[in-house]
């Protein structure tokens, strides 16, 4: 599997994070702008749509937590994104616990109109696709699921993923291979029963 092409986010973060740690507000804003799309992709894969809190809400919480705790970050040879994903794992776990505690999720306000260009049918299809993906990922153990999400949905390298999940790049590649084989088998079984 080839690594996905990405802009040099690591390089930009390496330059900005020390400034943000030292209290530079502009550097912190740039850090948050860089990490937000990655975090949102991760939360969408872990939480999906149609639930409260939403993936977008959790991504905002993660970014806020990064912003308020960045002063604690110490460069110990690990990528900054490992620090960020450590926070993200905890915030997603909190969101899952909250979801199970509160089965009733009332809506605060009902909108007066539908957002243009995004119909209820579009939203339902997005939620259905997201739920199907999440259901497939549920056949995996938590660590394997995190590895697949970080590698496939977020686009991290094996090295970055290893740092985030506390493993080695080789172990990440093996776990990814096994997880994909397990997903393939589950899809084949699902197709046989359809």
């Amino acid at each position: 599997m080839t690594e996905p092409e990405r802009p040099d986010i690591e390089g930009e973060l390496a330059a900005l994070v020390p400034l943000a740690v030292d209290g530079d507000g502009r550097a912190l804003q740039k850090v948050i702008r860089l990490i937000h799309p990655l975090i949102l992709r991760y939360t969408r894969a872990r939480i999906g749509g149609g639930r409260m809190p939403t993936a977008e809400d959790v991504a905002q919480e993660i970014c806020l937590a990064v912003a308020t705790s960045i002063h604690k970050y110490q460069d110990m040879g690990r990528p900054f994104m490992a620090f960020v994903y450590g926070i993200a794992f905890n915030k997603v776990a909190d969101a899952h616990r909250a979801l199970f505690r509160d089965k009733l999720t009332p809506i605060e306000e009902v909108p007066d109109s539908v957002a243009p260009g995004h119909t209820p049918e579009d939203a339902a299809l997005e939620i259905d696709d997201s739920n199907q993906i999440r259901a497939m990922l549920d056949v995996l153990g938590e660590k394997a699921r995190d590895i697949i999400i970080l590698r496939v949905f977020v686009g991290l390298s094996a090295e970055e993923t290893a740092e985030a999940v506390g493993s080695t790049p080789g172990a990440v590649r093996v776990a990814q291979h096994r997880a994909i084989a397990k997903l393939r088998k589950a899809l084949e079984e699902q197709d046989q029963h359809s």
Side-chain angles (χ1 to χ4, degrees), residues 17-111:
V17 168
L19 299 172
V21 169
D22 289 338
D24 184 328
R26 285 189 174 184
L28 178 59
Q29 287 178 337
K30 290 177 183 176
V31 166
I32 298 301
R33 267 195 297 260
L34 285 171
I35 68 170
H36 184 263
L38 300 173
I39 295 302
L40 186 56
R41 235 180 297 156
Y42 173 75
T43 58
R44 283 181 176 157
R46 289 297 310 267
I47 296 171
R51 294 183 174 184
M52 295 298 278
T54 65
E56 289 78 8
D57 293 337
V58 176
Q60 288 288 74
E61 285 183 36
I62 293 165
C63 288
L64 180 62
V66 168
T68 58
S69 64
I70 197 165
H71 67 280
K72 298 176 186 176
Y73 174 73
Q74 294 179 354
D75 186 353
M76 301 174 86
R78 298 177 69 203
F80 177 69
M81 287 308 293
F83 172 77
V84 172
Y85 285 117
I87 292 171
F89 291 149
N90 292 329
K91 291 293 182 185
V92 167
D94 291 346
H96 284 291
R97 279 192 292 275
L99 181 66
F100 289 115
R101 270 195 308 268
D102 183 16
K103 294 291 184 184
L104 300 175
T105 53
I107 298 174
E108 291 178 21
E109 294 180 18
V110 176

